[in-house]
Every structure is written in structure tokens, then in C-alpha cells.
Amino acid sequence: MRGRAIPLVLTPPKGRGKPPRHLADLSLAERAAAAAELGLPGFRAKQLSVHYFERLVHDPAQMTDLPAAQRAELVAGFLPELLTPVRTQTADRGTTVKTLWKLFDGALVESVLMRYTDRATICISSQAGCGMACPFCATGQGGLQRNMSTAEIVHQVVVAARAMATGEVAGGPGRLSNVVFMGMGEPLHAYAATLGAVRRLTDPAPDGLGLSARHVTVSTVGLVPRMRQLADEGIPVTLALSLHAPDDELRNEIVPINTRFSVAETVDAAYYYFERTGRRVSIEYAMMRGINDQDHRAELLADVLSADGRGTGWTHVNLIPLNPTPGSKWTASDPADEREFVRRLESRGISTTVRDTRGREIDGACGQLAAAES
Ligand code: SAH
């Protein structure tokens, strides 16, 4: 299992310009102040917010409550084009849609919309690239370009909400219900932008999109201090932890950040998140044949999760069948081994599911987002 080792990047590269300011970067009060700075009445910011977050209208021509003379200025000041679609690919008869976006500086990111019978989930990116260097993940192998801004993160969701509302997605008009920060990047590495985005997604309209916090999932490789910080913010979003191995020796190798924060410290932080928020923490575990899927690792995983008398009710294990990525030496587990892994965890009282992976044929599944133009 010798993947090409690329370094962990903990400081985002400098020298990249800042994305243009957008209303989704600001709270409603800040928007009013910014409007005043432009010499426009503060309530115009609220009208614009209703269009953006509540009516999901982005075409200035439809904003007929704004005086034509001020419309262009308001749109220029608050709704700069942040994401330009480069390519859209669909799978599952149109119910899975992957979009490649170009950001203002040419950086590329991807988002994936997945419609199910009872919900619709958008999987969004928080960074262009990723610095966490996990060897089995295509994004990690591409390195980090830069953090995204709050508005760049939020806009992926707003565009998806609009696509659902207008019936652009197979299955007719519907509502976007869930957001997962499981696209490109490490959301807790871009902490300020991610937190801003979480607030904007969960604030009631027209401050934000008004999604339920429990329907927003932030997934992390395990940046321990940031997990604790998020726990203390008082926003009960769902936390997912990409654990992938129950012992330091293996996790150091497949999740390099583990060389900074041990498995025990990481699981402690996840438990702290549960204690502070009351939200059950998801443990993500990509099943790799002969690497982390042995019987003894299932037992060790159960030990680690229930250590220190914590019991098992605070967590839920989500096994992810490993998706193929370029140059990866790993393969997905044998289904029989996967079943045995599930059986062992469940017999230890740990609720366990296997993720129904979407979009593999369009390189849109977990770990496959590389944002390449061709
Ligand atoms: N950086 C965050 C957000 C990314 S979420 C995190 O690590 O949690 C993407 C999820 O897919 C993570 O759990 C990641 O470890 C997992 N993943 C990466 N490559 C994969 C692959 N090839 N097959 C299956 N899952 C993969």
C-alpha cells in the first residue's frame, strides 16, 4: 500500500486574490450597512436577500420591486457571479447531477446533487483542492489551491435549491432538504468560511436559506481543536468524522493528519461534540480490501468508540465501499468481509449502515472529485 506520498498542507497557500464580496458573505445587518455605504437605502439589501434566499430569483430582470435605476448597482455590489458552470454530468436517470464550477480566479471545484424519493442532498466543496493528503482520495492527491469564501460555499447550495424548485432535476419540482460538506476540501481547515456558510444555510430567510441544522452535515478528517470549537458554537449541525482506521499505526498511513492528532484524541473530540450538541456523530469508514476491513479491526473499532465507558448510543458507523481513484492501489472490500464487519459492529451494539454510493460512473462519488476540465 505505497501511494505516492504528498505532504500535509496546514497553511493555505498565500498570494491568491479574494473572491468578490457577495451578499451571502454578510449577515442581514451587515448587508444593510454595505448598502448604506453604496449610498442606497438599507431596506434594499433586505429586498435583495428575499430574492436570493427566499424566492431563489437571481435574474435582476425579475426583481421588479427594485427601482430599475438602482437594480444594476445593487446586483453589481451584492450578487457578483461567483460560480461559472463548466460542465454538468448526470447519472441515475438524471437524479444525480455533478457540476464542475470555475471560480473567479480560475480555480475549479465540484458539487453533486443527489435526489432520493424522500429527500434531496447537495454535496458541496469548501476548498479548491485539499491539503489533507489522504492517499486513497482523488481530491487529497491533487493538493490544496485555496479556501473558498462563505458565499462561494453557500452559492453551491442556493443554485441547487433553485434547480430543485424549478424542476430542472429529474422528478419534477421539489425542495432541497440536505447539505453535506463532503465535496472537495476539509471544511474545518477553512473554518471561518465554513462556519459562516453553516450560519447562512441555517438562518431563517431572508437572512439565510432556513435549512434545518440537523439536515446539514459537516464532515471532517479530524482537526481536533476545530471539532471542539464547532461543538461550542451552539449550532447543532451533524458532524461526520472520517476515521477509516481504529489504530494509530494504520491511520497514520491512510489519514495523514493522524500524525498530529491520535485516534484516541480524535474520538474524544467527536464524543465531546455529541455531549455538547446532543447530535449523534457519524463515523465514516471507507472499506479497503485487506487494509482496514479485517475482523480484528471491526472489534478494535468497537473498542475505540465505546472506550472510557461512553457506550455506543452516541455514534453511528457509516461504511463507504471504496471508490476507485486514479493511481490508487487500494480496492473495495469483498462483500462477504463487509457483511462480517457490519455484523461484528452490530453485535457490539453499534448502529451501522453501508453507504449507498451515487455517481461512481461520473466520478462523482466519495473521494472521486478531482475537478479536472477534461
Ligand atoms: N475532508 C472532509 C470532507 C470530505 S468527505 C473529510 O475527510 O471528511 C469525503 C468522504 O469520502 C471522506 O470520508 C473521505 O475520507 C471519503 N473518501 C475519500 N476517498 C474515498 C474513496 N476513494 N472511496 C470512498 N470514500 C472516500
Side-chain angles (χ1 to χ4, degrees):
M1 46 178 295
R2 303 287 163 259
R4 180 171 53 98
I6 71 154
L8 266 175
V9 177
L10 296 174
T11 329
K14 294 247 165 5
R16 310 214 36 151
K18 263 171 110 64
R21 186 194 65 190
H22 184 279
L23 75 78
D25 286 310
L26 309 173
S27 68
L28 194 55
E30 290 166 340
R31 285 167 219 162
E37 271 167 36
L38 294 174
L40 298 166
F43 68 89
R44 296 287 180 219
K46 177 153 181 199
Q47 286 177 306
L48 210 54
S49 303
V50 169
H51 285 298
Y52 184 75
F53 282 120
E54 203 167 318
R55 299 182 52 210
L56 305 171
V57 162
H58 299 182
D59 176 4
Q62 290 176 38
M63 303 179 182
T64 48
D65 56 338
L66 300 175
Q70 287 175 17
R71 217 179 287 166
E73 203 177 345
L74 280 163
V75 169
F78 288 100
L79 298 175
E81 202 56 51
L82 294 174
L83 308 176
T84 310
V86 175
R87 187 186 58 215
T88 311
Q89 289 167 278
T90 59
D92 306 305
R93 284 188 248 99
T95 58
T96 301
V97 185
K98 178 174 94 164
T99 309
L100 173 66
W101 303 103
K102 187 170 274 181
L103 309 182
F104 86 102
D105 58 351
L108 298 170
V109 299
E110 290 179 316
S111 60
V112 185
L113 178 61
M114 292 160 284
R115 183 176 201 163
Y116 302 88
T117 47
D118 59 337
R119 67 187 193 282
T121 300
I122 181 78
C123 176
I124 55 169
S125 295
S126 54
Q127 295 179 313
C130 185
M132 298 298 120
C134 300
F136 57 93
C137 176
T139 311
Q141 288 305 296
L144 177 63
Q145 282 90 59
R146 70 164 168 89
N147 288 345
M148 294 173 72
S149 66
T150 287
E152 285 173 330
I153 298 172
V154 169
H155 197 58
Q156 297 168 79
V157 181
V158 173
V159 170
R162 186 175 33 179
M164 284 297 297
T166 57
E168 278 168 52
V169 183
R175 204 179 70 84
L176 182 81
S177 53
N178 294 60
V179 177
V180 295
F181 284 75
M182 294 189 183
M184 301 175 72
E186 166 50 44
L188 298 190
H189 192 204
Y191 189 85
T194 292
L195 186 71
V198 163
R199 290 200 194 285
R200 221 95 311 133
L201 296 178
T202 56
D203 280 346
D207 296 43
L209 209 49
L211 294 170
S212 146
R214 59 186 52 225
H215 290 165
V216 174
T217 299
V218 173
S219 183
T220 182
V221 73
L223 298 184
V224 165
R226 298 306 199 184
M227 290 165 74
R228 290 179 174 272
Q229 192 176 349
L230 186 65
D232 294 336
E233 300 283 358
I235 314 172
V237 290
T238 300
L239 183 71
L241 168 64
S242 298
L243 195 63
H244 304 312
D247 52 296
D248 288 320
E249 195 184 352
L250 177 59
R251 196 165 190 266
N252 283 344
E253 200 163 344
I254 61 179
V255 184
I257 195 69
N258 198 75
T259 56
R260 306 295 176 104
F261 309 107
S262 69
V263 168
E265 287 174 279
T266 307
V267 172
D268 276 352
Y271 184 66
Y272 179 75
Y273 192 86
F274 166 76
E275 285 184 307
R276 292 288 304 200
T277 63
R279 305 286 303 141
R280 207 153 68 139
V281 176
S282 292
I283 301 293
E284 313 295 296
Y285 199 101
M287 292 289 281
M288 308 177 202
R289 183 178 303 200
I291 303 292
N292 65 353
D293 63 352
Q294 305 88 343
D295 296 351
H296 76 272
R297 284 217 160 78
E299 299 295 341
L300 194 56
L301 178 58
D303 292 345
V304 163
L305 294 179
S306 57
D308 302 323
R310 284 196 286 257
T312 55
W314 68 280
T315 187
H316 169 93
V317 172
N318 198 216
L319 301 178
I320 314 174
L322 188 78
N323 295 305
T325 57
S328 170
K329 302 193 168 42
W330 296 277
T331 46
S333 296
D334 192 300
D337 293 339
E338 188 178 279
R339 279 194 297 277
E340 178 60 13
F341 206 91
V342 173
R343 193 195 66 73
R344 283 178 185 262
L345 290 177
E346 287 191 329
S347 75
R348 298 281 302 270
I350 295 173
S351 112
T352 306
T353 48
V354 177
R355 180 170 294 171
D356 156 32
T357 289
R358 284 271 193 116
R360 202 178 277 153
E361 64 276 34
I362 53 171
D363 283 343
C366 307
Q368 294 186 312
L369 303 183
E373 265 183 286
S374 54

